[in-house]
Amino acid sequence: MGDRPGIGERPGTGERPGVGERPIIGGGHRPGENRPIIGGGNTIVGRPGGDNTFVNINRPGWGLNDGGRPGHGHWADQWYDHHVPPRYHGWYHGCWSGNWRNYWYAPVIAGATAWGLSALLPRWGYSYGYTYSNPYYVGSAEPMYDYSQPIVVNTYATPGGDTSAEPTTESPETTEAYRDFDQALEAFKKGDYQTALRLDEQALQKSPHDPIMHEVGALCMFALGNYEGAAAVLNNVLAVAPGMDWTTMSGLYGNIEAYTAQLRALEATCRGKPDDAAAHFVLAYHYLVAGHEEAAVEQLERVVALKPNDQVAKYMLDAMTPAPEAGVGAAAMKTTEPEGSSAAGASPTTDLVGSWAAERDGNRFELTVNEGSQFTWKATPKGKQPITVTGNLTAAGNALALESEDQGTMVAQVKSDGPDQFQFIMAGSPPNDPGLMFQRVK
């Protein structure tokens, strides 16, 4: 694997940080119950038509796990299992899994995962006074892909949870993309970064929803000294996906000395250009890869000061600042008991099958769920055209996942207020997000 380079010095030694984990939420399910239901304490309901078994809802751990490799029960494992193509498993060891606050990551429900600034993205029409903006992207500079909005991430988990096997179907275009990407990785290991970048871009044209291909493209730009381009790609990717861990990164290089030299060049650029936000953002990313979290915080603080509109840097910085536990959502859930209930009585539950509506600040949201847990989500932002998304819904205790093939996954923390009302706060919401209060449409 090679030693991780220290900060501003030759490579240093050091073991991987220890493993830490948080309690798993929920357990069990209501026998014979196939309808999507939220609330009821630890009530867990599987998706109709499946085996109705509970899939752990994992929260991020304080402290690093073993690089996000499967078998440790962390959210990073779920990222590896569900968003890393099986054909990458021979070299992709794992992802970041460090000190992140809960509003940065979503829970995992039946294989549905969400990361980062999902509530700030326009795809679901939910944004609460924010929209994503990439402060480093210039359209003409990177014509092969529009990095003005984060990508929709592919999901590779197979039915039944078997992520070790190759997908049963693969389009010719996807096969070509993997071929180009394999060649890009070979060129990168040989130090031919220009060829690696060209091949990586070819692969992305055929498989644009693969965040690891994007991340490798950013790594090529870093190696070539194009920090503005690398920052534009990384800002996009890190809004929806974790970065590589050190084992994965070091394995891409033919030797660690090459990486160390490139890191030293970036550090020198940052020292010589203290106002270059792009370079400092890329340096923060690499410090996180190498496990230098305190140094990464210093770089992110500088980036936020230079680029106040860099929401990704701000959220990364906030996520690395320990704070009292406040749940998966950014805001604490409403705790008042619905009418007719009591603290000593059974916890309220909400059967989601039916039609629901919520309004906030002149924006209207409609959710329809059928008996098969298929949903239609319609958001009508004030003065704008409606946004409609369809897909499959999974409910598990205090979490809800809406999975769309075209628009990715929206995960929310929810709280039942009885049979005809529930509160909904999208994972990744800013701390002051009041959420939505959905009412059943009679």
Side-chain angles (χ1 to χ4, degrees):
M1 178 180 71
D3 296 330
R4 285 174 290 192
I7 301 171
E9 59 185 28
R10 302 299 294 172
T13 60
E15 298 180 356
R16 186 188 311 280
V19 177
E21 63 179 55
R22 297 179 58 81
I24 292 174
I25 302 172
H29 65 275
R30 188 174 294 168
E33 183 73 80
N34 276 332
R35 300 169 72 86
I37 294 176
I38 59 175
N42 287 340
T43 299
I44 304 297
V45 180
R47 178 180 300 155
D51 60 7
N52 204 36
T53 55
F54 169 59
V55 177
N56 288 345
I57 302 175
N58 297 326
R59 290 175 182 248
W62 289 96
L64 299 177
N65 69 14
D66 189 19
R69 291 301 298 272
H72 294 274
H74 297 274
W75 62 264
D77 304 343
Q78 300 294 331
W79 172 263
Y80 185 100
D81 289 343
H82 297 286
H83 300 294
V84 177
R87 66 166 59 231
Y88 295 176
H89 289 183
W91 63 269
Y92 189 96
H93 174 268
C95 62
W96 294 350
S97 51
N99 297 337
W100 307 100
R101 283 170 61 180
N102 278 349
Y103 65 79
W104 184 257
Y105 304 113
V108 178
I109 316 168
T113 61
W115 165 287
L117 308 179
S118 54
L120 307 186
L121 308 184
R123 291 192 288 262
W124 295 79
Y126 180 95
S127 297
Y128 178 57
Y130 297 86
T131 55
Y132 173 80
S133 174
N134 190 331
Y136 311 109
Y137 175 67
V138 179
S140 60
E142 305 294 338
M144 54 77 57
Y145 190 83
D146 178 6
Y147 285 110
S148 64
Q149 291 298 322
I151 62 176
V152 176
V153 178
N154 280 335
T155 297
Y156 298 96
T158 57
D162 180 10
T163 59
S164 61
E166 290 284 342
T168 55
T169 60
E170 187 176 282
S171 70
E173 191 171 52
T174 300
T175 299
E176 291 181 14
Y178 286 141
R179 181 199 62 200
D180 291 340
F181 189 51
D182 288 342
Q183 293 175 355
L185 295 177
E186 291 177 10
F188 188 93
K189 188 176 289 288
K190 295 175 181 177
D192 187 354
Y193 305 118
Q194 197 67 58
T195 297
L197 180 59
R198 176 178 56 80
L199 290 167
D200 182 75
E201 290 177 346
Q202 288 181 193
L204 280 171
Q205 289 174 358
K206 304 178 184 77
S207 183
H209 302 312
D210 188 320
I212 298 172
M213 288 185 185
H214 287 280
E215 189 175 6
V216 168
L219 194 57
C220 293
M221 296 178 197
F222 155 74
L224 293 167
N226 178 5
Y227 306 135
E228 189 78 23
V233 178
L234 289 173
N235 195 269
N236 178 288
V237 170
L238 297 181
V240 294
M244 300 176 183
D245 69 359
W246 172 244
T247 303
T248 304
M249 174 75 75
S250 61
L252 294 178
Y253 278 81
N255 64 80
I256 302 306
E257 291 293 329
Y259 175 83
T260 302
Q262 293 162 18
L263 182 64
R264 297 296 168 256
L266 174 57
E267 289 171 334
T269 295
C270 289
R271 288 193 298 269
K273 298 180 179 179
D275 295 334
D276 189 338
H280 287 282
F281 183 81
V282 177
L283 185 57
Y285 160 83
H286 282 281
Y287 280 164
L288 284 170
V289 169
H292 304 304
E293 295 188 20
E294 291 184 4
V297 167
E298 293 178 2
Q299 296 302 316
L300 289 171
E301 289 174 341
R302 181 178 292 273
V303 172
V304 170
L306 292 170
K307 291 278 188 182
N309 65 330
D310 187 342
Q311 297 166 9
V312 174
K314 183 178 185 303
Y315 268 63
M316 289 173 67
L317 181 60
D318 288 347
M320 297 183 71
T321 304
E325 180 62 41
V328 175
M333 299 303 291
K334 184 178 178 181
T335 57
T336 56
E337 293 292 333
E339 185 177 352
S341 68
S342 67
S347 299
T349 61
T350 304
D351 185 337
L352 294 176
V353 173
S355 297
W356 302 87
E359 291 192 12
R360 184 181 67 194
D361 301 330
N363 306 309
R364 181 172 176 81
F365 301 85
E366 300 168 74
L367 174 65
T368 302
V369 183
N370 68 17
E371 296 277 353
S373 283
Q374 294 172 318
F375 74 86
T376 297
W377 167 278
K378 182 178 180 181
T380 308
K382 186 177 180 179
K384 298 181 180 179
Q385 293 296 313
I387 296 171
T388 301
V389 182
T390 61
N392 295 312
L393 176 147
T394 304
N398 68 341
L400 194 66
L402 306 178
E403 300 175 78
S404 164
E405 182 177 350
D406 297 329
Q407 301 302 327
T409 301
M410 176 167 66
V411 178
Q413 180 173 338
V414 291
K415 178 180 183 293
S416 170
D417 265 358
D420 298 320
Q421 181 171 283
F422 67 95
Q423 188 181 24
F424 176 106
I425 297 180
M426 189 172 177
S429 297
N432 59 341
D433 186 354
L436 301 173
M437 187 61 70
F438 276 98
Q439 307 281 342
R440 187 181 297 277
V441 177
K442 302 294 186 180

